[in-house]
Amino acid sequence: MLDAILHFFHSLYNPDGLKELIRSGGAPLICAIVFVETGFFVGFFLPGDSLLVTAGVFAALPNGIPLKWLLLPVMFCAIVGDQIGYWIGRSAGAALYRREDSLFFRRSHLQRAHDFYEKYGGRAVILARFVPIVRTFCPPVAGAAKMSYLSYLAFDICGGMLWVGAMILGGYSLGRSVPNIGERIHYVIAVVIVVSVLPVVISVYRPRRKLGRAGDAGSVPTPHSKGE
């Protein structure tokens, strides 16, 4: 059992393994992974972006999963998963911020999502879809902040449709336009991972850079007056 679980997680981050998972698990497995990633803290490490792009690529190839079995079902699971996250935050409230770190929960991830929400407001529900980790933790933050549920639902439906549509259709377009793209899926996944992680790296780097500049400014000696 343990070996099977470890093999599954290894396959998620291995291009060949990810291809095999998509081929063997099909749309139900993709839906399940997206649902867990968006609905539960345990899903923060799941590769939603690369999974959906790869699924889109293979949907364009012969014997691939038809788009009609991917787009709407995955969109539905992404939206429903976020609703669970929202109500977890709504019911737990401030207690989430006092929760101790564990294997599947990091307060630093929660704080990053909180800062993201504070910066972008309601738009964060849409934008967070495209940022790994923040994607998982933003719904509980919106719930804890007691964002109006109807507003949250509207933003979340838009975000879920945009994210799933952009990832799957982007991969599908590559699969239709680039010959033998299935043999080059390693490069596609690598680019997707870099692009998806870039916002997280920037969000971490900017505060440190500002802090460094503030420290440098504070260390500049003040000029002495002529009388001294």
Side-chain angles (χ1 to χ4, degrees), residues 15 18-19 22-23 30 48-67 70-71 164-192:
L18 191 58
K19 289 192 294 184
I22 291 172
R23 284 172 177 163
I30 295 169
D49 295 328
S50 56
L51 174 73
L52 296 183
V53 171
T54 304
V57 168
F58 286 107
L61 303 181
N63 301 318
I65 305 171
L67 276 180
L70 276 178
L71 282 175
V164 173
M167 296 296 110
I168 291 180
L169 293 179
Y172 184 82
S173 298
L174 279 175
R176 291 293 298 271
S177 59
V178 180
N180 300 320
I181 187 64
E183 300 174 4
R184 302 181 177 89
I185 198 68
H186 300 73
Y187 303 108
V188 175
I189 293 176
V191 171
V192 171

Side-chain angles (χ1 to χ4, degrees), residues 25-186:
L29 179 63
I30 295 169
C31 288
I33 292 174
V34 169
F35 176 74
V36 172
E37 185 194 14
T38 56
F40 302 93
F41 295 131
V42 67
F44 74 89
F45 62 87
L46 293 173
D49 295 328
S50 56
L51 174 73
L52 296 183
V53 171
T54 304
V57 168
F58 286 107
L61 303 181
N63 301 318
I65 305 171
L67 276 180
K68 65 180 180 180
W69 296 116
L70 276 178
L71 282 175
L72 291 181
V74 176
M75 286 177 183
F76 177 77
C77 289
I79 293 168
V80 172
D82 264 17
Q83 305 314 299
I84 293 175
Y86 174 89
W87 287 108
I88 288 174
R90 187 83 177 222
S91 59
L96 277 177
Y97 296 91
R98 298 192 298 269
R99 182 174 174 176
E100 296 295 327
D101 285 349
S102 64
L103 180 61
F104 299 119
F105 178 83
R106 291 288 183 274
R107 277 187 293 180
S108 60
H109 296 335
L110 187 69
Q111 186 60 46
R112 185 182 302 163
H114 174 82
D115 295 342
F116 193 87
Y117 181 79
E118 287 290 314
K119 181 177 181 180
Y120 294 106
R123 293 176 299 160
V125 178
I126 297 176
L127 297 175
R129 288 286 191 179
F130 297 88
V131 185
I133 299 177
V134 174
R135 176 165 55 239
T136 302
F137 285 84
C138 187
V141 166
K146 291 189 168 47
M147 178 180 181
S148 165
Y149 180 65
L150 290 180
S151 296
Y152 173 80
L153 182 61
F155 279 117
D156 190 51
I157 290 174
C158 291
M161 294 177 66
L162 283 173
W163 176 58
V164 173
M167 296 296 110
I168 291 180
L169 293 179
Y172 184 82
S173 298
L174 279 175
R176 291 293 298 271
S177 59
V178 180
N180 300 320
I181 187 64
E183 300 174 4
R184 302 181 177 89
I185 198 68
H186 300 73

